Amino acid sequence: MTTIFGIPLAAFLGQLLIGLINGSFYAMLSLGLAVIFGLLRVINFAHGAQYMLGAFVALLLLQYLGVDYWLALAIAPLVVGLFGALVERTMLSRLYDLDPLYGLLFTFGLALTIEGTFRYLYGAAGQPYSVPPALSGGTNLGFMFLPNYRGWVVAVSLVTCLGTWLLIEKTKLGAYLRAATENTVLVQAFGINVPLLLTLTYGFGAALAAFAGVLAAPIYQVSPLMGTNLIIVVFAVVVVGGMGSILGAIVTGYMLGIAEGLTKVFYPEASNIVIFVIMAIVLLLRPAGLFGKDA
Amino acid sequence: MGALLQVADLHAWYGESHVLHGVDMTVGEGETITILGRNGVGKTTTLRTIMGIIRARKGEIRFAGRDMLSVPLHRTAHAGIGFVPEERGIFASLTVEENLTLPPVVADGGMPLEEIYDLFPNLLERRASQGTKLSGGEQQMLAMARILRTGVRLLILDEPTEGLAPVIVQRIGEVLQKLKARGMTILLVEQNFRFASRIADRFYLMEHGRMVADFPVAELPDRMTTLNKVLGV
């Protein structure tokens, strides 16, 4: 059997794939956080809850209305995005003039409230969500067996990240967003409705989290706490990438997912902490993060 | 000449501090007005209050007959007022062309992009560069050019020549002359007398947060001595 650094190749590639899949979720979630932080200067602690909401909306749509995975992939982000926009409009927007700490505390409280409500209603245990029939089974790549659904997740995440990046870097809306991130007042003086832009951005970030949540449902179990476990790692990703850096969030998301996967192969004991060790090192050497512009 | 902009008894505050103490001024359609005054008398504040950037304000601002006090900041431009800030406000994360096309077109009669590039060939040449990579003079041109596209009727400029080389200052003067010829109404704050005297029709002199004198450009030579004393130049 082929080995690499004394490790069976199949095990190595298997962990690499798991790392890539985890990285796909890290990238999509940290991307949303970065977009929200960049424009709103709000550290969105409710991001994990919004991810969980996405998975739950998909699950409930299936259980109560028989809506399948594909439709849920479109509906759940829309529902959670609208909910996010509503929260921004009615509550979060009142905190912009205050210390940024209030935004953090508010979204933290929001996350606890949402997760608590779902735990009360559905219990803490995870519920299974089956892989859509079209993506069940797997493909033999020769060196390893790739479950189709996991391949799909990696591909969709790459497309989502690339699409979001293009939206921000190459379109008119993205130019408004980038300009407003730099100088909100002037952009408003030019006649652009920045309050609306803020609402859309928060809604978009929440929708992105929900989209990731639907993608995650068939891989991880749908549980009220699925976001809590993930969000801490995602914050580490954002810090390593550089707060507010879009490209940084994407690249770092995949990179740290893979680093985590590979650590499982070479030194399994450290796999749970490797991301935080990297974060500590990056903070010591480059406090602004790998892609950050200023400290 | 009908008044396009009418400001009466305008007061403004920065937090607790009262900075405008009853500004009165009118700007006629097609006129070019320069506000003179020492540093700190409230010239920039006057411009920012008219724009609606400073919201703690009281008094009257009428633009084309419309009460502007209740208009939110993001609707001011749509009413027809364009703003070129003192710090120019070129966005680093946008290319030159993105900077140029950022402000939405609010009315017909704005300059088409090709005409802007004819007027500012440097911007065409460097349209793919990062906005802040331009020289100070080019950034000022860009800050003006992007407002010309929008079709606003009143152009507000805060110290457009500050810190720029004489040749650039002259160029900015030419551009403003061209705009005047097109019928644009211009309100600017300017320290550079000679520059201002070439383009302005009328001057306001500001002291302690209010206007203390108002005279046409023809009277400028006679007033030079007093002005020099008041402005401390």
Side-chain angles (χ1 to χ4, degrees):
Chain A
M1 192 173 186
T2 328
T3 60
I4 178 165
F5 304 124
I7 307 284
L9 187 63
F12 178 82
L13 291 171
Q15 287 303 329
L16 194 67
L17 178 68
I18 289 176
L20 198 58
I21 288 164
N22 285 338
S24 298
F25 288 109
Y26 297 162
M28 276 190 288
L29 289 171
S30 56
L31 174 63
L33 276 182
V35 172
I36 291 172
F37 179 78
L39 187 60
L40 280 70
R41 296 283 135 181
V42 167
I43 297 174
N44 184 28
F45 255 93
H47 215 64
Q50 284 152 350
Y51 161 83
M52 178 273 287
L53 276 181
F56 254 100
V57 170
L59 183 72
L60 297 177
L61 279 173
L62 181 71
Q63 283 179 351
Y64 291 100
L65 301 171
V67 172
D68 73 354
Y69 172 85
W70 301 104
L71 214 52
L73 209 49
I75 297 175
L78 204 65
V79 170
V80 178
L82 283 174
F83 173 69
L86 190 71
V87 165
E88 193 279 343
R89 194 78 305 223
T90 56
M91 294 179 247
L92 194 54
S93 59
R94 296 166 191 272
L95 307 175
Y96 293 149
D97 293 334
L98 304 173
D99 190 281
L101 197 57
Y102 285 89
L104 188 148
L105 286 174
F106 168 73
T107 54
F108 187 57
L110 182 67
L112 292 178
T113 309
I114 295 173
E115 283 167 356
T117 305
F118 274 75
R119 212 154 94 172
Y120 174 74
L121 293 175
Y122 302 99
Q127 306 190 51
Y129 186 99
S130 45
V131 171
L135 293 171
S136 59
T139 310
N140 195 344
L141 298 178
F143 54 88
M144 67 174 290
F145 185 77
L146 173 71
N148 287 342
Y149 188 77
R150 301 194 170 211
W152 156 255
V153 166
V154 173
V156 171
S157 139
L158 280 171
V159 170
T160 307
C161 289
L162 188 71
T164 306
W165 183 79
L166 285 174
L167 175 74
I168 291 170
E169 293 299 325
K170 300 292 169 203
T171 68
K172 189 83 199 178
L173 188 67
Y176 288 158
L177 208 80
R178 278 174 284 142
T181 300
E182 276 187 58
N183 188 340
T184 314
V185 169
L186 189 59
V187 168
Q188 257 179 297
F190 285 162
I192 295 158
N193 190 341
V194 174
L196 180 66
L197 200 60
L198 295 172
T199 306
L200 289 177
T201 303
Y202 192 77
F204 176 77
L208 206 57
F211 184 73
V214 183
L215 283 176
I219 297 185
Y220 313 108
Q221 298 219 308
V222 179
S223 111
L225 297 178
M226 65 191 283
T228 320
N229 305 329
L230 195 58
I231 201 67
I232 301 300
V233 176
V234 172
F235 272 112
V237 170
V238 173
V239 170
V240 172
M243 291 299 287
S245 163
I246 306 297
L247 194 63
I250 298 173
V251 174
T252 313
Y254 288 107
M255 223 167 61
L256 291 186
I258 291 170
E260 193 185 37
L262 293 184
T263 312
K264 277 197 187 117
V265 182
F266 294 105
Y267 189 49
E269 294 83 347
S271 65
N272 284 330
I273 58 158
V274 63
I275 287 182
F276 300 100
V277 172
I278 293 175
M279 179 179 87
I281 295 170
V282 167
L283 282 179
L284 279 175
L285 300 179
R286 266 189 76 97
L290 296 178
F291 294 80
K293 281 183 215 99
D294 47 76
Chain B
M1 215 181 295
L4 182 62
L5 176 71
Q6 180 107 39
V7 176
D9 195 27
L10 184 65
H11 293 256
W13 290 263
Y14 281 119
E16 294 287 298
S17 117
H18 190 178
V19 279
L20 294 189
H21 299 266
V23 170
D24 294 291
M25 68 185 297
T26 51
V27 180
E29 179 96 59
E31 246 190 328
T32 298
I33 302 286
T34 300
I35 304 174
L36 302 171
R38 273 181 202 255
N39 281 330
V41 296
K43 304 188 298 293
T44 294
T45 306
T46 303
L47 300 186
R48 292 170 62 89
T49 307
I50 292 171
M51 266 318 284
I53 293 171
I54 295 168
R55 306 300 300 182
R57 52 187 186 163
K58 215 180 71 187
E60 191 182 304
I61 303 170
R62 284 194 170 274
F63 181 74
R66 179 174 172 197
D67 168 35
M68 296 298 293
L69 239 47
S70 55
V71 174
L73 176 55
H74 68 262
R75 298 300 305 171
T76 308
H78 293 271
I81 308 181
F83 182 53
V84 181
E86 189 174 5
E87 71 285 356
R88 288 162 201 147
I90 302 303
F91 298 99
S93 54
L94 272 62
T95 65
V96 169
E97 187 152 289
E98 280 177 329
N99 266 289
L100 189 55
T101 55
L102 185 78
V105 172
V106 295
D108 294 336
M111 235 184 235
L113 202 55
E114 305 82 67
E115 206 174 319
I116 287 179
Y117 279 141
D118 280 344
L119 197 57
F120 306 101
N122 286 15
L123 298 184
L124 177 64
E125 204 175 296
R126 308 204 53 190
R127 66 184 183 281
S129 328
Q130 190 188 334
T132 43
K133 290 267 159 70
L134 297 180
S135 70
E138 286 170 327
Q139 287 192 29
Q140 183 62 49
M141 300 289 178
L142 177 55
M144 286 165 59
R146 67 181 169 192
I147 301 302
L148 304 186
R149 242 190 88 252
T150 62
V152 293
R153 294 165 70 187
L154 172 65
L155 179 62
I156 295 183
L157 300 130
D158 196 354
E159 304 219 16
T161 67
E162 193 190 20
L164 299 178
V167 56
I168 308 285
V169 172
Q170 197 182 343
R171 186 85 182 81
I172 290 172
E174 287 162 17
V175 171
L176 289 181
Q177 289 291 1
K178 235 173 245 185
L179 291 178
K180 276 184 77 165
R182 286 171 71 109
M184 177 78 91
T185 308
I186 302 171
L187 172 62
L188 73 155
V189 160
E190 187 53 71
Q191 305 273 12
N192 184 335
F193 258 156
R194 285 174 30 142
F195 172 79
S197 65
R198 279 207 308 273
I199 55 164
D201 302 312
R202 207 148 54 82
F203 291 89
Y204 276 96
L205 181 63
M206 199 166 185
E207 266 185 84
H208 306 301
R210 60 169 68 89
M211 300 301 173
V212 293
D214 163 21
F215 54 90
V217 66
E219 290 179 24
L220 190 64
D222 295 340
R223 289 183 180 249
M224 272 324 264
T225 338
T226 1
L227 279 176
N228 278 332
K229 206 158 74 194
V230 172
L231 300 175
V233 283

